[in-house]
Amino acid sequence: MPTYTGISSEAFRHPLDREAEQTLRRVPGFDLVARKFVEFLVERPQYVYMMGNSIQVGPRQYSTLYGIFRECIRDLDIYPEPALFVSQAPVVNAYALGQDLPYIVLNTGLIDLMSEDEIRSVVAHELGHIKCGHTTLIQMASWAIMAVFSLADLTMGFSRILSTGLILAFYEWLRKAELSADRAAMLVMDDTRPVMQTMMKMAGGSTRYAHECSLEEFTRQAQRYQELDEDGLNQVYKFFLYNNVSQGVFLTHPFTVERVSYLQAWASSPEYREIKRGNYPRGGAQGSVEVKPESPAEQEADRLRRQIEELQQEINRIKGE
């Protein structure tokens, strides 16, 4: 597998991810959520819970998974090493959380369904979230959304302060952040097939009938899905399927077939080919070399990275008060 020494997350971060994050940070109420999130100290209890209720992966505990994990960390140049847990849960899922104590969780339902290559793709995807600095915002979004829909009394009316616009912005960003993490998986795997195979299994994979699933048919389905946008009414339906405001039901991930189309487009792009040649922004990992962006797009990416770092410093300052 290729290794991208010193790579910055800005090398592969999806433009829609950047745009959605910018929009989120401009929505009234975001600064309040950031302050309250720090006050409630959400991160540490979740880490303690994982330590108490899951298996922490290491050299002598799920050693094969740990080997895959370590190789992905090397390939994406992530430092320091996050924690990896396996949780007993039938749902085919994995996630990454934590800023000061970052960690990844793999559900047993996912491990039992996926091949080793597919597990590697999932691990690289979750590490992509950590590399991009998504995990703080993911936790903040989860906490704010929970406060709105189920903890109004415990948060002293905090939920009433948050607007529907902020909730919509959080969910829109969550979905777009997945596109950047998919690119991280693509970089590690160096092949679209195992990444898309993983997506197909996430959409409707079966251990019993796996031999009857065709990736080629799944990619054709993705094309047919894109063609639905030719009818404007379908675009309206898609919005409300993602954001059922009346019932408080929102999707945190893009539709799987939509992610396939985004990934295929990036895999054939000049941007991806340049990264493969070793021409990418560097920085963000210990020992890496920061280089000045050469294009206006890279300059904008660097500015956004500094803004994120400044927000994290402000959060740390508030936490210390």
Side-chain angles (χ1 to χ4, degrees):
M1 299 295 175
T3 297
Y4 302 94
T5 304
I7 190 169
S8 165
S9 62
E10 295 301 337
F12 59 86
R13 196 171 184 200
H14 199 288
L16 292 177
D17 175 7
R18 295 190 192 102
E19 180 182 333
E21 183 177 324
Q22 279 185 299
T23 300
L24 170 62
R25 293 178 184 277
R26 289 196 298 263
V27 174
F30 177 83
D31 291 339
L32 173 63
V33 170
R35 290 195 300 272
K36 292 294 182 181
F37 173 76
V38 172
E39 289 176 16
F40 278 82
L41 298 174
V42 177
E43 177 177 335
R44 190 169 293 274
Q46 290 178 317
Y47 183 84
V48 171
Y49 179 84
M50 295 311 305
M51 285 292 290
N53 293 278
S54 302
I55 295 177
Q56 185 167 12
V57 176
R60 291 177 295 279
Q61 194 78 287
Y62 281 121
S63 58
T64 299
L65 294 179
Y66 186 64
I68 291 172
F69 178 62
R70 290 278 295 176
E71 289 169 357
C72 291
I73 288 172
R74 176 203 63 201
D75 295 343
L76 291 173
D77 197 15
I78 293 175
Y79 181 89
E81 179 179 314
L84 176 63
F85 295 98
V86 171
S87 178
Q88 184 63 252
V91 179
V92 180
N93 193 28
Y95 56 91
L97 289 174
Q99 179 66 33
D100 296 331
L101 299 168
Y103 61 89
I104 291 172
V105 178
L106 304 178
N107 284 357
T108 52
L110 180 141
I111 293 171
D112 293 341
L113 180 65
M114 302 291 180
S115 69
E116 283 193 9
D117 270 354
E118 291 157 1
I119 291 172
R120 184 184 300 274
S121 174
V122 171
V123 169
H125 173 100
E126 299 305 332
L127 286 170
H129 281 307
I130 292 175
K131 181 77 174 181
C132 288
H134 289 157
T135 50
T136 296
L137 277 178
I138 289 173
Q139 282 188 284
M140 192 185 301
S142 300
W143 175 80
I145 291 161
M146 182 173 60
V148 169
F149 293 120
S150 62
L151 294 178
D153 293 337
L154 296 179
T155 53
M156 297 169 290
F158 170 63
S159 65
R160 291 191 294 272
I161 300 173
L162 298 181
S163 66
T164 301
L166 182 58
I167 297 301
L168 287 171
F170 264 126
Y171 275 108
E172 181 67 12
W173 173 77
L174 285 169
R175 292 190 289 265
K176 294 303 187 286
E178 294 299 317
L179 304 179
S180 296
D182 286 342
R183 289 181 170 192
M186 177 64 195
L187 287 175
V188 170
M189 301 308 298
D190 197 26
D191 184 3
T192 58
R193 190 171 187 86
V195 183
M196 293 193 299
Q197 188 84 24
T198 302
M199 293 177 179
M200 182 173 69
K201 286 190 175 181
M202 294 290 285
S206 163
T207 302
R208 183 174 181 179
Y209 295 109
H211 63 286
E212 296 184 0
C213 285
S214 165
L215 183 58
E216 286 69 28
E217 283 300 316
F218 189 63
T219 55
R220 281 191 278 271
Q221 178 184 337
Q223 178 59 39
R224 293 196 300 274
Y225 173 83
Q226 293 301 316
E227 291 169 357
L228 293 176
D229 283 345
E230 295 175 6
D231 186 331
L233 185 58
N234 287 335
Q235 296 183 41
V236 175
Y237 288 147
K238 286 182 182 182
F239 174 83
F240 285 110
L241 287 169
Y242 276 129
N243 307 286
N244 189 336
V245 179
S246 62
Q247 297 183 18
V249 177
F250 304 83
L251 300 186
T252 60
H253 286 57
F255 292 144
T256 311
V257 293
E258 191 169 18
R259 291 166 63 185
V260 167
S261 298
Y262 279 117
L263 187 69
Q264 286 180 311
W266 192 62
S268 60
S269 69
E271 179 186 1
Y272 176 70
R273 289 194 294 271
E274 284 301 305
I275 294 175
K276 295 295 299 175
R277 294 190 184 104
N279 300 324
Y280 50 77
R282 301 169 189 269
Q286 189 180 63
S288 62
V289 179
E290 191 71 38
V291 296
K292 292 183 178 180
E294 298 178 352
S295 69
E298 288 174 329
Q299 290 173 0
E300 176 65 12
D302 190 61
R303 185 183 67 80
L304 290 172
R305 178 182 59 78
R306 289 196 302 271
Q307 288 180 344
I308 293 169
E309 290 174 350
E310 288 168 1
L311 177 64
Q312 184 58 51
Q313 289 172 2
E314 179 64 15
I315 289 174
N316 292 338
R317 184 189 68 76
I318 297 171
K319 190 183 296 183
E321 290 181 350

